[in-house]
Amino acid sequence: MLLNCDQPLPLLSHTDVPPRVTENFILTGYRFPNYRLRDCLLSAFRPTNETGNFWTHFLPIFIFAYYFVEVFGWDGAPDASAPFFYPMWNYFIGVFFLLMASSMAHLLNSMSLVVREVCFFVDYGTISAYTVGSSLAYYYYIHPRAGIVEKGDRNSSDLNLNHEHKGIITSFFNLFFDTYYMPCACIIAIICVLSCCNTRQRWREHRYIIRTLVFLLPFLISSTPIFYRVLTRSPYSTTSSSFAASTTMPSFFYRHSLWLLVSALFNISKFPERLAPGCFDIWGHSHQWFHCCTFLSILDELHMIQAEVRAILLNPDFLLPPTTLSRLPGPTIASTYGLMLLLQTTIVSIILCFSWHANCIYGPQRDQLKKEHSMKHMKVT
């Protein structure tokens, strides 16, 4: 044993760890990729260059959960297990695993070079799954006809919906939302996983730009129901309480988009450590700000979705899906949990494939790295 079991493993500079482990402009605070699981867990309470990355996505799990459960206590809300809330629970699952996988990837990636690769493959996979969870919530709560069902003999013109059936452009959007929206969201999520995993084995020089731009695509596709709603008339009567609740949705979306933009700038620019390499190694470097901004965007997204859920619940003229009268079928286990399960199965298959390839590359280097690190430590001591 090189070190006493009770002593924490030493932190290293960027010259003492494999190049694969180093980050641009981060000079110190590195953990050598030979930690045991116990050492990794304990490092959450040590000032390493990954400590802030862990906490900035681990603590938000509890903040998100606190705000998420509010919706179940609203007046008129069905039981939390009702089909109406299936999309909300899928959205929660997507966010939970995104934050958990991200925090665990930063905490556990020093076990070995292979484990490091697998950790971040899983991280990319959960980000893609989150985008589909968001799309499900958008589809069932922010879709142009979400929750809209005519009661009795009410004329559709009284609901201000007749304008949606006019024009070629409107017909195109209706066809896209009803038929292609969710398949497109799933296909793009798979493309994102493949692209981001590839940046760990090729295109290394431009990996941060590629990852950022790749995840811009699902944002644009997933947000089309919001773009439609922002650019067209509200489906709710202007005198209704639903209209008042729904009017907050655009402002939350603008904030959600702003935080995503700021997070992208941090991720690409590597500011502030670019200006002063070595000064932000432990606290305040760009990836921590990236994490903070992405969580703030998720929180505003949650408030945006909740605003539309409240609008549906408050409107006395609309019924909650599912119902045979609705042009938009209501959420079912197959269309929500089933879809996510199918997507996750595909993503796991992709991750396993890339992990096998990573093991072929870095597996043989494991013993050699340990031997070199041991010899270097013996010379120092």
Side-chain angles (χ1 to χ4, degrees):
M1 295 284 296
L2 296 175
L3 296 170
N4 189 298
C5 293
D6 296 327
Q7 297 296 320
L9 295 173
L11 297 180
L12 308 171
S13 72
H14 67 291
T15 59
D16 298 322
V17 295
R20 187 71 178 183
V21 176
T22 60
E23 297 290 341
N24 295 336
F25 312 111
I26 303 296
L27 306 184
T28 61
Y30 287 99
R31 301 168 298 170
F32 197 84
N34 65 345
Y35 273 41
R36 297 168 300 174
L37 177 61
R38 175 178 175 272
D39 297 323
C40 290
L41 296 177
L42 290 176
S43 70
F45 305 97
R46 295 180 62 200
T48 75
N49 57 28
E50 291 282 27
T51 303
N53 294 336
F54 167 75
W55 288 108
T56 49
H57 262 182
F58 185 72
L59 291 178
I61 293 174
F62 304 96
I63 300 173
F64 178 82
Y66 173 80
Y67 285 105
F68 177 82
V69 297
E70 286 181 349
V71 68
F72 304 120
W74 291 346
D75 292 337
D79 188 76
S81 61
F84 177 74
F85 283 128
Y86 287 172
M88 282 296 288
W89 282 116
N90 277 267
Y91 174 65
F92 176 84
I93 291 170
V95 173
F96 173 82
F97 281 107
L98 179 153
L99 297 175
M100 182 61 75
S102 174
S103 56
M104 289 298 108
H106 288 290
L107 188 64
L108 304 179
N109 67 60
S110 62
M111 293 181 70
S112 72
L113 290 180
V114 175
V115 171
R116 180 183 177 83
E117 297 299 295
V118 174
C119 281
F120 289 110
F121 292 155
V122 174
D123 187 20
Y124 306 145
T126 56
I127 295 173
S128 295
Y130 151 74
T131 65
V132 175
S134 298
S135 298
L136 281 170
Y138 294 174
Y139 183 70
Y140 285 107
Y141 304 129
I142 310 180
H143 182 288
R145 293 185 184 80
I148 298 173
V149 183
E150 298 178 41
K151 275 190 172 181
D153 296 326
R154 289 180 60 89
N155 190 297
S156 62
S157 61
D158 294 336
L159 297 176
N160 295 319
L161 298 176
N162 60 331
H163 66 281
E164 291 190 355
H165 300 281
K166 297 179 181 179
I168 297 176
I169 295 179
T170 302
S171 298
F172 169 78
F173 274 110
N174 291 343
L175 177 64
F176 172 74
F177 288 136
D178 294 345
T179 308
Y180 301 110
Y181 174 67
M182 287 309 305
C184 283
C186 292
I187 292 172
I188 290 172
I190 293 171
I191 292 174
C192 287
V193 177
L194 289 168
S195 301
C196 288
C197 288
N198 258 310
T199 62
R200 300 200 67 81
Q201 298 176 355
R202 62 187 73 176
W203 316 323
R204 293 280 299 169
E205 184 178 353
H206 306 291
R207 61 189 183 275
Y208 297 113
I209 296 176
I210 293 172
R211 291 170 197 167
T212 302
L213 293 179
V214 160
F215 282 113
L216 176 64
L217 186 59
F219 166 77
L220 294 175
I221 298 299
S222 297
S223 299
T224 49
I226 306 172
F227 297 145
Y228 186 95
R229 286 288 297 274
V230 169
L231 297 174
T232 59
R233 295 168 58 188
S234 171
Y236 304 108
S237 169
T238 55
T239 59
S240 69
S241 55
S242 292
F243 180 83
S246 184
T247 53
T248 61
M249 186 269 285
S251 61
F252 284 126
F253 175 66
Y254 298 145
R255 283 166 45 177
H256 166 68
S257 303
L258 176 62
W259 287 123
L260 284 179
L261 175 62
V262 175
S263 68
L265 292 176
F266 274 119
N267 197 39
I268 294 174
S269 68
K270 297 304 167 186
F271 177 87
E273 64 267 22
R274 177 185 290 272
L275 301 179
C279 294
F280 299 95
D281 290 351
I282 307 301
W283 303 109
H285 59 75
S286 61
H287 205 79
Q288 294 169 11
W289 292 113
F290 168 73
H291 276 194
C292 293
C293 291
T294 53
F295 173 66
L296 289 173
S297 77
I298 290 173
L299 202 57
D300 277 324
E301 180 184 50
L302 172 63
H303 293 321
M304 174 183 69
I305 294 170
Q306 287 179 328
E308 288 299 298
V309 171
R310 182 185 288 275
I312 294 174
L313 295 175
L314 286 175
N315 199 299
D317 295 326
F318 297 157
L319 299 174
L320 298 180
T323 171
T324 56
L325 298 176
S326 177
R327 190 171 185 276
L328 173 65
T332 63
I333 291 178
S335 66
T336 54
Y337 295 105
L339 179 67
M340 285 291 280
L341 179 61
L342 180 61
L343 176 72
Q344 293 284 23
T345 302
T346 305
I347 289 175
V348 167
S349 300
I350 294 171
I351 291 172
L352 289 174
C353 181
F354 277 97
S355 299
W356 175 82
H357 187 58
N359 186 61
C360 292
I361 298 174
Y362 300 109
Q365 300 179 18
R366 187 183 301 118
D367 294 336
Q368 181 181 352
L369 283 173
K370 287 183 179 180
K371 183 178 179 180
E372 291 177 356
H373 182 56
S374 300
M375 292 177 63
K376 188 178 293 187
H377 180 78
M378 291 174 64
K379 289 180 180 179
V380 172
T381 55

